[in-house]
Amino acid sequence: MSASVDTPVQVPSEAGGGSPAPSDDVVAQVRAVARRAKDASRVLATATRATKDSALHALADALVAATDVIVAANAEDLARGRAAGTSAGLLDRLALDPARIVAIAEALRELAALPDPVGEVVRGSTLPNGLRLRQVRVPMGVVGMIYEARPNVTVDAAGLALKSGNAVVLRGGSAAARSNEVIVGVLADALEQQGLPGDLVQSIDAWGRAGAVALMHARGLVDVLVPRGGADLIQTVVRESTVPVVETGVGNCHVYVDESADLAMALPIILNAKTQRVGVCNAAETLLVHRAVADEFLPVALAQLADAGVTIHADDAARRLAPEEAAVVPATEEDWGTEYLSLDLAVRVVDDLDEAIEHIRTWSSGHTEAIVTRDLASSERFVAEVDSAAVMVNASTRFTDGGQLGLGAEIGISTQKLHARGPMGLAELTTTKWIVHGDGHVRP
């Protein structure tokens, strides 16, 4: 049962952190923000694609023009994070520099080039009685976001919301407070210069954790809430919110090297999946290796992972095959269920495909799993029997990303099954409406 705004709520992480229920004043302030967002979304609902695409380009230009101001604000957040002992993975997520800002701006321009989902006819027909039916995509209305230490998400959420016809209300967390404050200001000013409401992009960071709780209870003003961050944050929002929630899950992702794998292919896949960027949900956290190829593959793979700075949490069979230079510790039950977000990797030798699939079923968070194999039957079984949002065959887990899959930026990666699953792009920020045309029809 979700708590009401009048009930003390214990909420960890950026969603609440053990704070009591928000005061009446905070509730009123957050609801006022949501109400302005609702009004702004109605203006945007009638905007043409040309208007929205022009605004996306304007947002991109404004961000690049404000690079120095954004980087300076981000430096304040980074300094505060280092002083507080924030992990290297989270600091990496938090950090902005001119190159990252250019990349974030380019993602907005790529969004502008994508088809507008609003108005797309999902299906249609004419009934025997002459009624003409269409099911079309329409905006959600107001999208709420609660997330941690990711100022790039501020821009991604704003861009995706704009293109899909939605307003967005953001709670970006204390770690990125200055970065988000500046970015939201830049985006709102750019929208107004394009003749659109600045209230299409708003932040409730000023009300802290209590504001996050108030946002969770703004049912009727906020149409959907997307939490993005650590497991505590996500589960808190799922548990406490009265607003409908799309659950974005943590990424305990697996790479399985099959008996028939091309080992020369498997090596760069696991290195990329683990080390290309560690503080992200689609990084690999567990390597499973078929016993038939373990003797050949693991000494080389573990040596190269060690060269990349990875600490190996190995079962007995994998530990015996590790080279002396590798940093190896015995794997525990806890390791199999851990999303490290760091240069750590759990490694296990399995007897066959069945054991690999069973391990994944037991420990996976349902995000992304990969198999490296040359056997078609093995790949088909893996794809059919592994129940995760994304399954890779002979490819890195790092491809579970809206941009990489051609969706543009993403608002998150859903690990639930309703109403969206996997990377959530433009189409996932819409719902549908039935439009029925008749000629004086009445029901018999």
Side-chain angles (χ1 to χ4, degrees), residues 22-214:
S23 66
D24 290 345
D25 179 63
V26 169
V27 170
Q29 296 277 13
V30 171
R31 291 182 70 85
V33 168
R35 205 169 282 112
R36 292 196 298 272
K38 180 71 79 175
D39 292 341
S41 73
R42 290 171 180 144
V43 174
L44 188 61
T46 60
T48 65
R49 174 179 176 176
T51 296
K52 293 187 285 187
D53 290 350
S54 177
L56 285 167
H57 283 287
L59 296 184
D61 293 342
L63 287 169
V64 173
T67 293
D68 290 346
V69 179
I70 295 170
V71 170
N74 184 249
E76 295 179 35
D77 290 331
L78 288 170
R80 191 170 58 253
R82 292 188 191 98
T86 301
S87 71
L90 285 177
L91 287 173
D92 176 60
R93 285 179 170 180
L94 174 61
L96 292 175
D97 56 27
R100 283 192 177 181
I101 292 172
V102 167
I104 291 168
E106 187 57 33
L108 292 176
R109 297 188 180 100
E110 291 171 0
L111 273 177
L114 293 174
D116 188 340
V118 178
E120 175 191 348
V121 178
V122 177
R123 54 182 164 170
S125 64
T126 300
L127 298 181
N129 65 2
L131 283 176
R132 300 179 300 280
L133 312 181
R134 285 181 298 141
Q135 185 185 22
V136 301
R137 292 196 182 279
V138 296
M140 289 279 188
V142 177
V143 177
M145 282 283 297
I146 299 177
Y147 55 106
E148 299 170 306
R150 295 170 171 90
N152 65 297
V153 173
T154 302
V155 181
D156 290 348
L160 283 161
L162 175 62
K163 180 80 175 193
S164 57
N166 298 290
V168 67
V169 178
L170 305 167
R171 163 58 177 155
S174 58
R178 280 290 293 137
S179 304
N180 288 333
E181 179 185 6
V182 171
I183 290 170
V184 169
V186 168
L187 297 177
D189 288 347
L191 286 168
E192 290 178 355
Q193 290 172 19
Q194 291 293 302
L196 292 171
D199 288 338
L200 287 169
V201 181
Q202 297 180 80
S203 169
I204 59 164
D205 282 354
W207 296 285
R209 292 171 172 176
V213 177

Side-chain angles (χ1 to χ4, degrees), residues 254-256 269 282 367-373 379 382-383 386 389-401 405 423:
H254 299 74
V255 174
Y256 166 58
I269 286 176
N282 56 16
H367 191 293
T368 302
E369 325 302 342
I371 182 173
V372 185
T373 184
S379 68
F382 192 85
V383 168
V386 169
V391 179
M392 306 290 172
V393 178
N394 296 328
S396 170
T397 59
R398 289 283 288 120
F399 284 104
T400 306
D401 173 270
L405 297 184

Side-chain angles (χ1 to χ4, degrees), residues 197-426:
D199 288 338
L200 287 169
V201 181
Q202 297 180 80
S203 169
I204 59 164
D205 282 354
W207 296 285
R209 292 171 172 176
V213 177
L215 185 66
M216 287 185 240
H217 296 108
R219 189 178 181 92
L221 294 173
V222 177
D223 295 287
V224 65
L225 190 57
V226 182
R228 185 168 171 180
D232 285 349
L233 183 152
I234 292 166
Q235 289 307 311
T236 294
V237 175
V238 169
R239 184 175 60 249
E240 302 292 351
S241 181
T242 62
V243 173
V245 175
V246 175
E247 181 175 355
T248 61
V250 298
N252 185 18
C253 304
H254 299 74
V255 174
Y256 166 58
V257 178
D258 190 36
E259 179 180 18
S260 68
D262 179 338
L263 300 185
M265 175 191 292
L267 187 56
I269 286 176
I270 185 57
L271 286 169
N272 180 264
K274 177 68 261 181
T275 69
Q276 195 258 348
R277 193 174 178 192
V278 297
V280 289
C281 60
N282 56 16
E285 305 292 17
T286 298
L287 170 64
L288 303 174
V289 180
H290 195 292
R291 193 171 301 278
V293 296
D295 287 355
E296 181 180 357
F297 179 69
L298 277 177
V300 177
L302 297 185
Q304 293 203 22
L305 286 162
D307 287 344
V310 177
T311 297
I312 305 300
H313 301 250
D315 73 347
D316 290 343
R319 200 162 69 250
R320 285 193 294 269
L321 296 170
E324 291 184 3
E325 67 270 20
V328 180
V329 296
T332 65
E333 287 286 291
E334 184 179 358
D335 284 308
W336 307 129
T338 297
E339 182 189 32
Y340 293 111
L341 301 176
S342 61
L343 285 171
D344 291 86
L345 180 70
V347 181
R348 180 184 175 188
V349 175
V350 294
D351 288 333
D352 50 29
L353 177 61
D354 288 325
E355 190 173 3
I357 291 174
E358 185 58 33
H359 180 102
I360 292 169
R361 284 175 175 166
T362 302
W363 299 105
S364 171
S365 61
H367 191 293
T368 302
E369 325 302 342
I371 182 173
V372 185
T373 184
R374 288 180 289 195
D375 185 278
L376 180 60
S378 293
S379 68
E380 289 180 342
R381 273 199 61 204
F382 192 85
V383 168
E385 296 183 32
V386 169
D387 188 21
S388 291
V391 179
M392 306 290 172
V393 178
N394 296 328
S396 170
T397 59
R398 289 283 288 120
F399 284 104
T400 306
D401 173 270
Q404 293 295 314
L405 297 184
L407 306 178
E410 69 189 29
I411 201 133
I413 297 174
S414 169
T415 54
Q416 66 179 41
K417 298 182 181 180
L418 297 175
H419 84 110
R421 196 179 193 196
M424 294 175 60
L426 295 171

